Amino acid sequence: MVEFKGSFVEARAKAIAAYREWPRMGFNEFMELVHIPEEVCKRGQEVKCFMSRQPAWIPGNELPWKVLFENLKKPPRRRHTGLGVFGGCVYAQASLAAARAVEEEERQQAAASGNIKSMPGIHSIQGIFTIPGVNDRPFVFDVSKIITARTFLGRRVDARQPKQPSSNPTGPFPNSDANLPLNDICFSSITTFKRPTEGADDIQSPISAQQRYASILSQRAPDQWEPAPQSDIDTITYLFPGAGHGAFPILDMYKVDMSAYNEDKEVTDRRQLILYRPLNPISKDDINGHIVCHAFEADRNGIIMLGNHIGYGFNMGIAASLSYSFYVHTNPEDAVMDGVGWWIQEINWPRVSAGRCMMECKIWSPEGKHVASVYQDGMIVPWKGPIAVKSSKM
């Protein structure tokens, strides 16, 4: 039980008063990767190595926990903010590392042969998370070749982190961090690529998300909905209502209020909509950069939002992604975000069993095109007992 010396309402009001704007990085700064030379990488000529430059984002890290619990001798452990950094960081950067390796190979082949082909775009990302990441050191990505065919390519990426913190733990990480001994693999993925092609058919649901939920979406402008909570668990949103984006990088994300829509529905039939677009412009020529931004967004809060629907919101034990698959259904240029229109992530949770859960979602362009889909499997387990708050002046 958490016991406050004064009123909990007063403590929360102090925390709310402590909210502030945080500096937020755009795509170019946050997703910067350094190509590690072969003489440093030492994995052989067939493996290309890259290193991240900025600390990964931690959900809920910018919330004023100290202010809320400043009158407690023994503050409770923050067990609701996850086991490590936001997994979307390593997921997106690993895929971007694979893309940068492929793009460089394409440029070298074009220079050698004079034959310029259309650049392959990310077609799918299939990854598994093995060890929680930490944010005081970089991720190091080993990219190895699986297949290079005429229109289809595949690359494997293994991500590790140094066993010790960086000499500059708040970033940007120096190139010398690439020389540090590495820990075990924390994330592994296969990223496939395909060249743009003309298809005989183009079939999708005749009713887009914009049409299906028009009566809800028309209630307010996209950026007038609540910013996607820094950690969307009932306990945290109750303690820190309206906390804003924090330092969440790359994208502006807003959570549509779907409570009325979901009220009379079973968990499997409930839906959540997230509206998003780039925080800062991303070069239209960097098509793979745009695609990894969609994958980055789609990993945000998905599994833990399910916890709220099934009654774990004030009793969450563990919620974590284990495997995550992302598929692009269109030619890669359809994933480019112009920074003006709002994209929609439509989320649902069709299965929970044996301590595991499934999330699936569709990514819709501002024009109503179904561009990508996500399938994610994770762990979700309730805590042994609910959290109670006690105050002498409640």
Side-chain angles (χ1 to χ4, degrees):
M1 178 175 290
V2 180
E3 185 171 355
F4 290 85
K5 294 179 181 178
S7 165
F8 165 69
V9 174
E10 292 173 354
R12 185 169 63 175
K14 278 187 177 181
I16 293 172
Y19 290 171
R20 65 180 179 89
E21 293 292 323
W22 291 82
R24 301 172 63 201
M25 295 184 187
F27 170 81
N28 291 331
E29 183 178 9
F30 186 79
M31 293 291 287
E32 181 186 0
L33 295 174
V34 177
H35 186 197
I36 303 172
E38 290 181 10
E39 58 270 22
V40 177
C41 177
K42 297 179 181 178
R43 315 278 203 279
Q45 293 183 351
E46 292 299 313
V47 178
K48 298 187 182 332
C49 301
F50 298 83
M51 186 186 79
S52 63
R53 292 274 291 178
Q54 299 293 341
W57 185 72
I58 300 178
N61 201 44
E62 293 89 42
L63 296 172
W65 295 93
K66 290 183 179 179
V67 175
L68 182 68
F69 296 130
E70 66 183 358
N71 65 347
L72 295 181
K73 292 183 179 179
K74 188 178 181 181
R77 180 169 63 89
R78 284 165 48 187
R79 60 181 176 83
H80 292 299
T81 52
L83 298 175
V85 301
F86 170 46
C89 298
V90 65
Y91 190 92
Q93 287 176 327
S95 310
L96 188 61
R100 297 301 187 238
V102 166
E103 291 162 1
E104 179 59 27
E105 291 167 12
E106 290 285 311
R107 286 190 290 268
Q108 291 174 351
Q109 291 174 5
S113 66
N115 182 18
I116 301 176
K117 302 177 182 178
S118 56
M119 187 66 73
I122 292 173
H123 164 254
S124 72
I125 309 166
Q126 300 175 64
I128 57 170
F129 300 91
T130 55
I131 303 173
V134 292
N135 80 332
D136 62 358
R137 64 203 72 181
F139 288 99
V140 176
F141 304 99
D142 292 351
V143 181
S144 55
K145 187 179 298 186
I146 298 175
I147 182 175
T148 299
R150 184 172 59 87
T151 62
F152 186 78
L153 303 88
R155 298 293 182 269
R156 172 178 168 168
V157 185
D158 291 327
R160 297 177 176 85
Q161 289 189 288
K163 294 181 179 181
Q164 65 192 64
S166 170
S167 58
N168 187 31
T170 59
F173 302 125
N175 292 355
S176 58
D177 283 354
N179 297 313
L180 298 174
L182 298 176
N183 213 330
D184 294 334
I185 293 172
C186 60
F187 174 76
S188 186
S189 65
I190 294 174
T191 302
T192 63
F193 301 80
K194 66 182 289 292
R195 300 187 195 278
T197 58
E198 292 295 330
D201 298 291
D202 188 353
I203 301 170
Q204 68 171 47
S205 171
I207 304 176
S208 67
Q210 286 86 345
Q211 296 169 311
R212 187 177 302 113
Y213 307 105
S215 61
I216 300 173
L217 294 171
S218 63
Q219 293 175 13
R220 63 186 75 176
D223 58 358
Q224 290 179 347
W225 297 102
E226 174 193 13
Q230 296 174 41
S231 186
D232 199 349
I233 304 172
D234 284 341
T235 302
I236 295 180
T237 55
Y238 175 70
L239 293 174
F240 304 103
H245 300 282
F248 183 72
I250 301 179
L251 302 167
D252 277 333
M253 294 177 60
Y254 292 89
K255 181 183 178 182
V256 177
D257 184 356
M258 300 292 288
S259 55
Y261 177 89
N262 290 326
E263 185 176 11
D264 60 350
K265 293 180 173 59
E266 297 294 331
V267 170
T268 54
D269 295 324
R270 295 178 188 178
R271 296 293 185 272
Q272 182 57 58
L273 302 183
I274 302 293
L275 308 178
Y276 68 96
R277 68 183 183 185
L279 176 63
N280 296 323
I282 303 170
S283 171
K284 292 183 180 181
D285 295 331
D286 189 3
I287 292 177
N288 286 316
H290 285 264
I291 293 174
V292 301
C293 285
H294 293 295
F296 178 78
E297 182 279 335
D299 192 39
R300 176 97 183 274
N301 281 332
I303 296 294
I304 61 175
M305 283 193 291
L306 169 62
N308 298 330
H309 287 287
I310 60 178
Y312 299 173
F314 288 93
N315 187 30
M316 186 76 81
I318 298 175
S321 299
L322 298 176
S323 62
Y324 173 14
S325 297
F326 180 91
Y327 299 90
V328 178
H329 307 301
T330 64
N331 279 327
E333 60 266 21
D334 289 330
V336 171
M337 298 176 281
D338 62 11
V340 178
W342 290 88
W343 290 67
I344 297 179
Q345 180 193 15
E346 180 187 7
I347 311 166
N348 69 291
W349 303 272
R351 192 73 171 101
V352 180
S353 180
R356 296 292 186 268
C357 59
M358 178 185 177
M359 180 194 85
E360 62 182 15
C361 73
K362 296 178 180 178
I363 302 297
W364 298 88
S365 75
E367 298 75 29
K369 179 177 287 190
H370 179 193
V371 172
S373 293
V374 168
Y375 303 90
Q376 191 168 137
D377 178 79
M379 177 188 303
I380 190 161
V381 181
W383 192 247
K384 58 185 177 183
I387 291 294
V389 175
K390 180 178 179 181
S391 170
S392 59
K393 298 181 181 179
M394 286 297 281

